[in-house]
Amino acid sequence: MEILGIIYQIIIGPLELLFEFVFSVSYKLIRDPGICIIILSIVMNLLALPLYRRADALQKEASDKQKKVQPWQDKIRKTFKGDERFMMLQAYNREKEVRPTDVLKGSMSLLLEIPFFIAAYRMLSGLALLNGKTFGPLKDLGSPDGLLVIGTVAVNVLPVLMTVINLISSSIYLKGSDIKGKIQLYGIAAIFLVLLYNSPSGLVFYWTCNNIFSLIKNLIPFDRIKMKEKKRSSDKPSLKNTFILCGIYNTVFVGLLVPSIVIKSSTAEFVNMYSMRSPAVYLLWSFASSAGFFLLWAGVMYFIFTPGARRVLAMISAVSTVIFTLDLVIFGREYGVMSSALYYYNLTMDYRDYLLIGFTLVILVSVLMVMFRKYILKAMPFVAAAGILSVLVCGLANVISISDNYNELSYLKDQLDYAKITLSKDKQNVVVVMLDRAVGVFVPYCFNERPELKEQFDGFVFYENTISFGAHTNTAAPALYGGYEYTPANMNLRDGESIPDKHDEALKVLPVLFSDNGFDVTLCDPSYAGYEEIPDLSVFEGYQGIDAYITNGRYNPMKEEEDQDLTSLWKRNFFCYSLMRVMPPFLHELLYDNGHYNIPDFYNEFRFVPLFTGSGNQSKGYAPEFMDSYSVLEALPEMTEISSSGNGSYTLLVNYTAHSEAILKEPEYEPEFFVDNTEYDSENIDRFEGLNVTQYWQLASYQDSMASYILLGKWFDDLREQGVYDNTRIIIVADHGYGLNVISDYDDAEVSPDFYNPVLFVKDFDSQGFSISDEFMTNADVPFLAVEGLIEDPVNPFTSEPVTNDYKNDLPLYIFGSHDTSITANNGNTFNPGPWYKVDGDVLDINSWEYAGEW
């Protein structure tokens, strides 16, 4: 079935994309599906008109030839028999240049019509956007029209009208034709009537518009409106070679090289560990779409067009080759961080920013190539051939890298167990919840809006003046897990060891320390274990009493649907993304379409690509990353097992709910497919007094943090009921904050301190009340806070250095401001150079930050 799907994508896929693009653009402008269907019919027929005109000419040529030879063929058949008749017919046909392919010429129009019909049928018959929409007498474009009711029987009038128009058009077209041609077209009209009789009226209306267009075309025969053309000689080899080789180059460049760069850059993002398949398979689909566009359909036009038109097509192919390459390699624009669903975070495109330079580039390249076409057409085959070899080598190298990256993820097959968090009822437990990218500045506002959180977080102290030593997980998390020996500065001092080794060592400090002291240890999603995007838990093998699990996505009830959605999306949109990237920048906004890539009925087909308003008070679609993490916090009560015997326990739970950018339903702060918080936000406009929360990513960060605290609060209630809350020390901490710029004082600052302001909550054994402290803390205090009073004179099991929090008293602290987050590139013995800052102790006071150089 996969092979058939690839063949379908080559033949029909490009037409489907063209149908969807025209309908999507027109619908965004007009918002009336009926008028959009008319526009779709007009545009598609105008685009296909040169093809149909040429096909009609070839069909007429074949018909005229057949009329000339038919009498002699009939005479031979009557005069001769057996092998002699066969030999005579063969000799006569050879003499008159009658070939078997003439049959195809005679059916060229039909052969062209079939793929266009299939593409239209696939798009319009299942377009949920048409459901319930009216147009004139048609009450529901998503259902059969049923315009005529006889008794209890509804008769669909539109298919009949479509067939009548088709028959009239055919009778005009077939005037003077033989009976065979008439039977063929009348038969096709009858077949269309049967096929479309019970189809949605929107689809039938489209085909009716096509038949009207065909009728007009036949009433005004274009073969009578001939312009004088200079006689041209047959194609030169350089012309054909230019067209073919440039087509191959464009196919490989757009269909293989560009998408392979994306997948190679973060292969793990395109792999579902619960349904493993190599993401290299999606390159087959993008390559198939590209081959359909640049080779198959471009080739159909080239080989049925006249020599003059072929010359134009060859020049277009050559110009597109140059422009595609220049746009990606030289003028390519980076739009920031992109999700696995191929949409960019925090992106606003405006074609006007690139209109002048884009048009200038296109016109300049086109004019130069036309002016020097004589030389270009001679040289282009050699240039294109060299280009094909280059992009093919690069593309295949990327495919090999993708396969290697995927094979390196084979460890995931051994990490599919459901997590079990065991807490002792009689002994002491320590739980560290690492909420990735939870910003400290939001905490007071969350607890003011939801006062019940203070009761659920009974016993906690929130340290508002907490700093991290880096802005991202790769630089900030090691200190959280291992203490001050693993700050970026101290890791750089150990330049004889690799960053991955030092990172894994930091991850193991507390688990090994607790395990060696008789505690049961449970780890969930330890960040970058094995220095892999999806943690490689094998780094903990060989240590007794340590159980490690992957929980992210494991409890998501929508995971299967999400996987199906993303698979379908990748099969289609890798090509669309590539096409967008190679086009001039002023076309990017049109082709990108807010990450929907002109799928007309996006949210009835795909539910896992979120779209937000600028302020974030409305959204549509689920965020996959959020659902994967949020579902883990929801499942905490069922993951937790209470033991009345055995040892105390240490648990690390890493969760990414606060890291996501999902707009949630307020005031519940729960995910929904469609969210409209306009009224709630308006009524609670003063809840962010003193903060600048005006953009959707700022509001999303607040909401996702709130959702985390709400679910943790419910888990804490469950722990109380189970009788293990008071004997459990709980630390909630983030590895780093986020550059939200919600404090207006930061607007003109070189550094955004909220990048380095992670949350830090600490609840000790039998503590009561909720309080906020301004004591200066760092997230590197966590190891000391976790073992304090439980392990006597704790030392790092790998370096034998004491586990302490005294280092922060030696001010100033050096904070690493690098935003190089790549663990595949930033993985030497020291971190890649970046800016450093000295901080004297007040995290959120911009005046306490001092630039300390770059190294």
Side-chain angles (χ1 to χ4, degrees), residues 437 468 470-472 736-740 751-758 819:
R437 209 174 78 175
S468 65
H472 301 281
H736 54 85
Y738 188 28
L740 294 167
V751 62
S752 179
D754 40 9
F755 247 129
Y756 309 90
N757 178 221
H819 294 289

Side-chain angles (χ1 to χ4, degrees), residues 412-424:
L412 296 176
K413 298 174 184 177
D414 300 321
Q415 301 180 176
L416 301 179
D417 293 337
Y418 283 90
K420 181 175 67 173
I421 298 174
T422 302
L423 299 179
S424 173

